[in-house]
Structures are given as structure tokens and as C-alpha cells.
Amino acid sequence: MKNKLFNRMTDAQRLEAFGNMLAWARHAVFLGGAGVSTESGIPDFRSRDGLYHKTEKRFARYQPEYLLSYECLRNEPDVFFDYYRAHLDARAVQPNAAHMALARWEKEGRLDGVVTQNIDGLHQKAGSVNVQEIHGTTWRNHCTRCDAAYGVDFIFDSIGKPRCPRCGGMVRPDVTLYGEFLPKEAHDNARRMIRDADLLIIGGTSLQVGSAAGLARQFSGEHLVIINKSRTPLDGEADLIFRDSIGEVLSAVKPG
Ligand SMILES: [Zn+2]
């Protein structure tokens, strides 16, 4: 295993090695999942131990995936939008140390950008510019009939099934629901970034969701760093593995 040596290093040595990789890299990319947002207090909505089973009784009879599926949006829009408003409103949530470090690295020219499975817009809030949101975002909405675009408040501040003021069609979030294809442009950009990267930092995802696992496999660059509390299928290929908080690790890394 490639990471055998690193496993014998102290925390300080591993952080130093990470910093050297970041300083050396010409194209570093961060691929992140729900674990990046949980440190801002956002529950992992794809995890059965997370949000779903602590929610109100009215949602308890539904399968977790159903509440965020295209099927639910189409067949029971009132249930979909009630759930969506109650649990996916990240407007007041603040970015954490991980978001801040990544935004700073991009500004300093150390990081090409971020590929994220999260839909909460926290990377942009922290100042990141190149953010490929492969599961879409709650910050944009559009009319399913005339395609008019609406801002984040349009759905969260509405009641019932949101209607387009121009044509009366249903307005929905630009979020990839279960049963839908990933947004092509973001996914293509993400694939290109990861393919061209010489350092890939994977954080807060156990790579169980197909899209992230598929993207990670596009990487053939020099160094792979994984920051995740549980094991991932790519651990054996990683140069460095941290089982700690992403915010703590990224803010402790000193490039160079
Ligand atoms: Zn419309």
C-alpha cells in the first residue's frame, strides 16, 4: 500500500507532508461531500442516521430518498416542498474553517477549484469562485414550464407549490433529485478538473455515492490526500489519510 510510510508518521509530519504537496502542486483540486458541511451544522441528508429519522412524524412514513426524489416532486409536490423548506434552507448557515481555507488557497493560486456534492452554497459564501456543484444548488431555482430563473428566496419564502409569476408553471430548485441526471456542465467541468489535477484532496465523503466515486477514479495525478472519518474505497491509493475534522486539518496545513 502506497500510504504505509505515512501511516507511521506523526500528525505534525503528515500535516507538513500535506503542506509540501500543496506547495508543489500546479493543479490542486478539492473533491468534497457532506462531511464538509456537517461541520457547519448541516446534517448529512443522504445518511439514514442523519436528518431523516429525527424529523417530524409527517415525514416518518416516507423513505428518506423519496423525499428528495423527482417522483415525490411530481406526485406529491406539497410534501416535497414542505420537506425542502424545513430542511434544506442554508441561507443563514455560515461556512466553516474548511470552506475558508479552500477559498484562501484558490485566491492564492494554490487550488484550481472545488468539486462538491453539497447544495448549500457554503463554498461561494466563503469566497470560492470555481465551484462545480455536481448535485446542483439550493441557491438557484427555475420554472419547469418557461425556464425563468429565480433566486434562493423564491421557494424558501413561498407557501405550498411555488408558481411562476410569469406563466403559472411550477418553480423548482436547481438541485439534482434522486432519479435525475447530474447537471451536465458541472459534471463535465468537474471531470476535466480532476483529470488535469496533480493533487487531489478528497474530504468529507466516503465515496459511496456513485457520482463522487466515478469522478475520483478520473484522477491519475501525483498525490492523493483523503480526509474522512470513515474508510473509503480509495484509501489504498492515498498518499496521506486524515481521520480528523476537515476544518481542523485544512486550517492547520501550511503550504510550503
Ligand atoms: Zn414560468
Side-chain angles (χ1 to χ4, degrees):
M1 266 167 61
K2 200 176 171 185
N3 57 300
K4 241 179 199 160
L5 173 69
F6 293 103
N7 283 341
R8 291 201 299 267
M9 292 174 134
T10 64
D11 285 357
Q13 285 171 325
R14 283 185 300 138
L15 282 170
E16 195 190 338
F18 190 176
N20 289 339
M21 287 174 193
L22 191 60
W24 167 88
R26 299 184 65 175
H27 294 288
V29 170
F30 180 81
L31 168 64
V36 178
S37 291
T38 51
E39 293 179 22
S40 283
I42 293 182
D44 178 358
F45 72 86
R46 280 168 206 270
S47 145
R48 276 170 194 276
D49 307 324
L51 185 57
Y52 297 112
H53 290 247
K54 287 183 212 143
T55 55
E56 306 92 297
K57 282 201 184 75
R58 63 188 164 136
F59 300 123
R61 66 193 176 92
Y62 296 101
Q63 284 295 313
E65 288 81 6
Y66 177 74
L67 291 162
L68 289 171
S69 69
Y70 176 70
E71 197 189 347
C72 181
L73 176 70
R74 189 189 53 202
N75 298 336
E76 297 181 85
D78 290 336
V79 173
F80 176 88
F81 284 108
D82 278 356
Y83 183 81
Y84 181 83
R85 287 190 196 98
H87 295 293
L88 292 164
D89 184 354
R91 288 176 296 176
V93 180
Q94 294 307 312
N96 61 56
H99 299 105
M100 301 311 283
L102 293 164
R104 193 173 62 244
W105 292 349
E106 185 186 2
K107 212 164 282 164
E108 293 169 353
R110 302 183 188 282
L111 189 79
D112 284 4
V114 168
V115 175
T116 182
Q117 297 176 278
N118 299 330
I119 57 175
D120 48 42
L122 289 176
H123 286 291
Q124 289 92 335
K125 220 181 238 183
S128 283
V129 178
N130 182 11
V131 182
Q132 302 303 327
E133 296 168 304
I134 57 171
H135 290 158
T137 177
T138 57
W139 286 76
R140 288 191 303 269
N141 302 299
H142 71 276
C143 171
T144 53
R145 193 179 295 163
C146 76
D147 214 34
Y150 294 97
V152 62
D153 297 336
F154 191 90
I155 289 181
F156 289 126
D157 291 348
S158 65
I159 298 164
K161 183 164 142 181
R163 293 279 182 192
C164 174
R166 296 186 207 178
C167 77
M170 182 178 73
V171 175
R172 62 159 288 176
D174 290 15
V175 167
T176 310
L177 305 175
Y178 287 99
E180 292 188 313
F181 291 110
L182 300 181
K184 191 180 178 331
E185 196 188 335
H187 196 256
D188 286 351
N189 290 342
R191 198 162 43 205
R192 199 173 313 120
M193 278 164 64
I194 290 171
R195 219 177 35 211
D196 294 344
D198 48 20
L199 167 62
L200 180 63
I201 306 157
I202 297 177
T205 170
S206 50
L207 298 173
Q208 300 303 326
V209 179
S211 52
L215 282 169
R217 274 194 290 273
Q218 300 289 315
F219 178 68
S220 61
E222 197 68 26
H223 293 303
L224 176 65
V225 176
I226 294 176
I227 310 157
N228 197 55
K229 291 193 173 147
S230 60
R231 294 186 55 83
T232 84
L234 285 186
D235 284 0
E237 289 159 52
D239 296 287
L240 287 171
I241 297 174
F242 295 88
R243 298 280 182 226
D244 312 292
S245 140
I246 303 167
E248 280 173 27
V249 173
L250 296 191
S251 54
V253 174
K254 303 277 176 282

